Amino acid sequence: MATRIAEKGRDAERTAADILAAAQHVFAIRGYADAKIRDITAMAGANPALVSRYFGGKLKLYAAALDAALDARLITDLDRATFGETIVARFVEDRTDRVQPLPIMMSGASDTEAREVARTLLHDRIFAPLSDWFGGEAAMLKAARFMIVSTGFFAYRDQLPLDMFGGPVDSALREWLVSEFQAIVDTP
Amino acid sequence: MATRIAEKGRDAERTAADILAAAQHVFAIRGYADAKIRDITAMAGANPALVSRYFGGKLKLYAAALDAALDARLITDLDRATFGETIVARFVEDRTDRVQPLPIMMSGASDTEAREVARTLLHDRIFAPLSDWFGGEAAMLKAARFMIVSTGFFAYRDQLPLDMFGGPVDSALREWLVSEFQAIVDTP
DNA sequence: CAGTTAAGTAAACGACGGTTTACTTAACTG
DNA sequence: CAGTTAAGTAAACCGTCGTTTACTTAACTG
């Protein structure tokens, strides 16, 4: 959760990073509109005014949070033989503080301006590169399949939690997800 | 769109129905938080104050809109042999004014109170009955699979539109959806 | 240590939007 | 047609929340 460990001296860079990390969490589970600046900064142990100072406002903070979640790792280190397993491991067993980009994207749907930010980044940073990586005739369809399944999964894990998604993901569900993602790359 | 056809006399029932229909559309595509009472009533050709009078406020209007979208037709008329085709036909070729319940549900994720309303109705009116209908050992998993794919599809069709989802759904995507839903019932 | 600068804060501001209120008007009733 | 009631409206109200401002305080510099 990137909670402040010890009392820190005055460090703008560190404070901005704390705010960004808190923003990722709050945006991801509460939605853009319901994510209050005061909540985010409280979680980061910072002052609300600093959002405007360091990021230029809520919308820019959202864009920064999304951008940071979209690190370059998405496509690299992907192997076609173990695609499904790799993806699912990243989705459900990532024990780092990393916040998944897709829930943050969906969260932007609750605001007209944030939606445009999300749409653009979604296309440029996930859909297009993924489509390129799949390649071939059905590349776009494969990318769409990936997005549909991933987004549906996160929707019920993070946003509208259903009982069976809580805690450690049910093993049968996990198995299905693996085969589902693997089937995408295995499709001719 | 349930647009007012002709000038109507004063008819509270009709006005309430118009507001409800407009609410379904606006909630579905804009999200609960971004759906303004003034927008909804403008679309219905009604006065904003009537939402409080007829429905008891925005949250209650949301609950009513969701409830109305969840008609009883969900499970009835489903045949295991043609499950996939039937579902997809309902999702993408429904030319009635009917608004799909799932986008309205997802829309509730952008507000703390609306989320609870959505979660409860989602479970009681879709997940549980569907799980019952599937039956057997893996009933819950099957219901989860159905929800994941449906929700992902609507997310990109209605909320964060990607290029390939716009207009008439791409035929390859449609075909995949059919096989995906059919595979759920065909799984032992 | 005095002086300067950057970091951080508290409080106020202002817009937005759901709701309430006081009022107007259409429809019905006898 | 007079009188009553329900439907509808315009405007004001008020809480919330992002943002701005004026201020305080910590850290560094010579």
Side-chain angles (χ1 to χ4, degrees):
Chain A
M1 193 72 73
T3 342
R4 199 152 306 208
I5 306 293
E7 289 314 305
K8 54 148 196 166
R10 295 187 162 196
D11 182 345
E13 212 164 319
R14 166 77 190 282
T15 302
D18 286 348
I19 292 173
L20 193 71
Q24 292 185 322
H25 282 90
V26 179
F27 282 138
I29 62 170
R30 300 254 295 258
Y32 181 84
D34 202 35
K36 321 278 198 299
I37 293 285
R38 286 169 171 86
D39 294 340
I40 294 171
T41 50
M43 173 178 293
N47 188 286
L50 297 178
V51 167
S52 287
R53 167 143 7 154
Y54 292 152
F55 296 92
K58 186 179 183 181
L59 186 62
K60 299 250 188 69
L61 173 62
Y62 174 74
L66 192 43
D67 188 78
L70 286 162
D71 64 11
R73 207 185 45 146
L74 175 65
I75 300 299
T76 55
D77 303 332
L78 280 184
D79 173 33
R80 282 177 168 71
T82 58
F83 180 77
E85 179 58 36
T86 307
I87 292 295
V88 173
R90 284 188 192 173
F91 281 178
V92 311
E93 279 127 26
D94 194 343
R95 282 282 153 269
T96 66
D97 268 346
R98 181 182 168 70
V99 177
Q100 295 292 333
L102 278 175
I104 304 182
M105 303 231 143
M106 295 316 298
S107 131
S110 58
D111 180 273
T112 312
E113 288 175 304
R115 178 159 33 224
E116 283 319 296
V117 173
R119 261 167 45 89
T120 309
L121 285 172
L122 181 68
H123 179 271
D124 296 351
R125 306 281 295 277
I126 301 189
F127 189 83
L130 205 56
S131 182
D132 284 351
W133 186 80
F134 284 129
E137 184 85 31
M140 295 236 306
L141 172 63
K142 290 180 180 182
R145 286 171 61 180
F146 178 87
M147 308 265 286
I148 288 174
V149 177
S150 313
T151 302
F153 169 70
F154 286 123
Y156 293 114
R157 196 196 66 171
D158 295 355
Q159 267 133 19
L160 278 190
L162 281 182
D163 321 3
M164 87 174 291
F165 288 77
V169 174
D170 178 79
S171 71
L173 178 61
R174 188 193 191 284
E175 207 174 314
W176 173 72
L177 284 171
V178 171
S179 70
E180 193 72 12
F181 287 124
Q182 189 60 43
I184 298 176
V185 281
D186 291 348
T187 302
Chain B
M1 191 73 71
T3 343
R4 198 152 307 206
I5 306 293
E7 288 314 305
K8 55 147 197 167
R10 294 186 163 197
D11 182 343
E13 212 164 319
R14 166 77 190 283
T15 302
D18 287 348
I19 292 174
L20 193 71
Q24 291 185 323
H25 282 90
V26 178
F27 281 139
I29 63 170
R30 300 254 295 257
Y32 180 84
D34 203 35
K36 321 275 197 298
I37 293 285
R38 286 169 170 86
D39 294 340
I40 293 171
T41 49
M43 174 177 293
N47 188 285
L50 297 180
V51 167
S52 287
R53 167 143 12 164
Y54 292 151
F55 296 92
K58 185 179 183 181
L59 186 63
K60 299 249 188 70
L61 173 61
Y62 174 74
L66 192 42
D67 188 78
L70 286 163
D71 64 11
R73 208 186 44 147
L74 174 65
I75 300 300
T76 56
D77 303 330
L78 281 184
D79 172 35
R80 282 177 167 71
T82 58
F83 180 77
E85 178 58 37
T86 307
I87 292 294
V88 173
R90 284 188 193 172
F91 282 177
V92 311
E93 279 127 25
D94 193 344
R95 282 282 153 268
T96 65
D97 267 346
R98 181 182 167 71
V99 177
Q100 294 292 334
L102 278 175
I104 304 182
M105 304 231 143
M106 294 316 297
S107 132
S110 58
D111 180 273
T112 312
E113 288 175 305
R115 178 160 34 224
E116 283 319 298
V117 172
R119 261 168 44 89
T120 309
L121 285 172
L122 181 68
H123 179 271
D124 297 351
R125 306 281 294 277
I126 301 190
F127 189 83
L130 206 56
S131 183
D132 285 349
W133 187 80
F134 284 128
E137 184 85 31
M140 295 236 307
L141 172 62
K142 290 180 179 183
R145 287 170 61 180
F146 177 86
M147 308 265 286
I148 289 175
V149 177
S150 313
T151 302
F153 168 71
F154 286 122
Y156 293 114
R157 196 195 66 171
D158 295 356
Q159 268 134 20
L160 277 191
L162 282 183
D163 320 3
M164 87 175 291
F165 288 77
V169 174
D170 178 79
S171 72
L173 179 61
R174 188 193 191 285
E175 206 174 315
W176 173 73
L177 284 171
V178 171
S179 71
E180 193 72 10
F181 287 124
Q182 189 60 44
I184 299 176
V185 281
D186 291 347
T187 303

